Amino acid sequence: MNDRDFLLLMLAMGAVTYLPRMIPLVILSQRKLPVWFAEWLELIPPAILSALIAPTLFAHSTPRVFTLGKIELLAALPTLLCAYKTRSLAGTVIIGMVCYWGLGLVM
Amino acid sequence: MRQNIRQGLAAAWPICLGYFPIGLSLGVLAQKGGLAPWQMAVMSILVFAGGSQFIAVAMLGAGASPVAIVSTVFMVNLRHLLMSSALSVHFPNASRRILALFAYGITDESFAVNLTRFNQGGWSQYSALTLNHAANTTWIVSTVIGVYVGQLVPPGAAGVDYALTGMFICLLIYQLRGPIFTITALIAAVGSVLAYLWLPGNAYVIISSCLAATVALILKRTMRERGEQA
């Protein structure tokens, strides 16, 4: 990707992140979103995060094949537990990295 | 005015402290993905959305198409629509310039702190603006420092490749605030693995998350109706 394409991509990313932050503030200052839409939006963050993680844990990338044997999946178990118990972002990231690194040495 | 700014800074420091290591790790990952310091700075200034930037860096590294990256980033940040709507009631007489400036700094963290402080009272628009921009500046600086730090870290060192997955796992856990959220996440996980195996490219994220949210919403509404009739 050359510099011009990179800048165009960043401008497009900037627009799609800025507009959802700005438009409701400027336009909807008194009106409310339809309830069903607000409820749908509320479910989007867990859905997206889960959709992003799952293939990393359960599938090889080239070629795309289902598997239950990836180090990523094994390391995810203590990482999940740590996130659930401590609710600490930094702690969870460190535990995940250490487990992934350790399992990589053993396996 | 000076008092308002001081108040904003005093409330911002925990957010800044939290952003710094995350910004650093984003910078390290971006460097591994081939981004230069100026590219990291441009991205943090124009985009300023932690989760989206992690995803964008990962997708850039995997050679995803610009359309896939922009649409994923858009979907990931759609939640700010809700936050911006919730905050809008606290800016009744603000000028468009103030609103435009404030909107730029809305993140999950600044939203949570600002909303709490507005509800407690004695929180001015200028304090909120100061808080947003203090957090924002910390973010930009830490991501760029991260790119320089990344040049010193060998690839694959100490499981750094897993930092991204670890962060997403923790952010996901934060989101599971009730059974319906867990159900949504499970549907999305199954859907995304299937879509990943069957469809080319990165469409799996958007398709499975929209599907999961829609199915879970229908489920939630059906259960609520049954509950009311019973």
Side-chain angles (χ1 to χ4, degrees):
Chain A
M1 183 173 285
N2 64 38
D3 289 354
R4 194 176 134 267
D5 289 351
F6 180 83
L7 280 176
L8 285 175
L9 176 64
M10 291 306 120
L11 284 172
M13 281 170 58
V16 298
T17 48
Y18 182 65
L19 293 178
R21 288 167 167 164
M22 189 270 281
I23 288 171
L25 209 55
V26 172
I27 293 170
L28 293 177
S29 48
Q30 300 303 323
R31 270 176 296 174
K32 290 183 93 176
L33 290 170
V35 176
W36 66 267
F37 187 56
E39 287 186 344
W40 188 80
L41 278 182
E42 210 182 30
L43 296 171
I44 283 289
I48 284 187
L49 288 165
S50 187
L52 281 166
I53 303 165
T56 315
L57 305 183
F58 294 103
H60 291 297
S61 55
T62 41
R64 294 184 174 187
V65 184
F66 179 77
T67 173
L68 285 174
K70 285 181 85 178
I71 299 178
E72 279 85 349
L73 179 61
L74 275 176
L77 301 177
T79 310
L80 262 174
L81 194 71
C82 176
Y84 185 73
K85 289 282 178 202
T86 67
R87 310 232 140 219
S88 151
L89 185 65
T92 303
V93 170
I94 290 167
I95 291 286
M97 284 166 55
V98 169
C99 292
Y100 181 74
W101 178 69
L103 285 165
L105 290 182
V106 176
M107 290 171 71
Chain B
M1 179 69 111
R2 186 171 290 178
Q3 176 64 25
N4 289 332
I5 290 173
R6 197 175 301 142
Q7 228 184 348
L9 288 176
W13 76 263
I15 299 182
C16 298
L17 201 65
Y19 278 2
F20 203 81
I22 302 174
L24 273 184
S25 44
L26 174 65
V28 171
L29 286 168
Q31 193 273 332
K32 299 287 168 248
L35 260 64
W38 73 267
Q39 292 180 310
M40 187 74 261
V42 166
M43 186 193 277
S44 291
I45 291 167
L46 288 179
V47 182
F48 184 42
S52 294
Q53 286 181 249
F54 270 100
I55 294 160
V57 164
M59 289 178 86
L60 273 171
S65 74
V67 174
I69 297 174
V70 172
S71 48
T72 308
V73 164
F74 174 68
M75 292 301 296
V76 172
N77 273 281
L78 255 188
R79 65 182 189 284
H80 290 140
L81 212 65
L82 263 189
M83 300 180 188
S84 174
S85 313
L87 286 168
S88 62
V89 295
H90 297 289
F91 289 83
N93 304 313
S95 68
R96 294 214 161 192
R97 196 167 7 142
I98 294 276
L99 289 175
L101 259 178
F102 179 75
Y104 172 68
I106 296 177
T107 63
D108 297 1
E109 296 78 15
S110 74
F111 163 77
V113 175
N114 276 324
L115 196 74
T116 314
R117 298 299 289 255
F118 272 126
N119 289 337
Q120 283 170 353
W123 189 245
S124 80
Q125 294 169 0
Y126 292 102
S127 304
L129 201 60
T130 306
L131 180 133
N132 281 12
H133 284 273
N136 182 24
T137 307
T138 308
W139 178 253
I140 295 168
V141 170
S142 63
T143 55
V144 175
I145 292 175
V147 178
Y148 288 106
V149 173
Q151 292 167 351
L152 309 172
V153 180
V160 76
D161 298 339
Y162 205 70
L164 189 61
T165 313
M167 191 193 83
F168 285 146
I169 287 175
C170 193
L171 291 180
L172 174 63
I173 292 290
Y174 287 164
Q175 290 293 333
L176 304 181
R177 288 166 286 143
I180 195 69
F181 294 96
T182 310
I183 292 168
T184 310
L186 289 175
I187 299 172
V190 174
S192 97
V193 172
L194 291 178
Y196 181 78
L197 297 175
W198 291 338
L199 302 171
N202 295 77
Y204 65 94
V205 178
I206 297 159
I207 289 174
S208 61
S209 44
C210 284
L211 178 86
T214 308
V215 171
L217 180 65
I218 293 168
L219 200 69
K220 188 180 165 187
R221 300 213 132 196
T222 314
M223 305 246 286
R224 195 189 295 153
E225 277 168 27
R226 291 225 180 114
E228 280 165 8
Q229 280 163 7

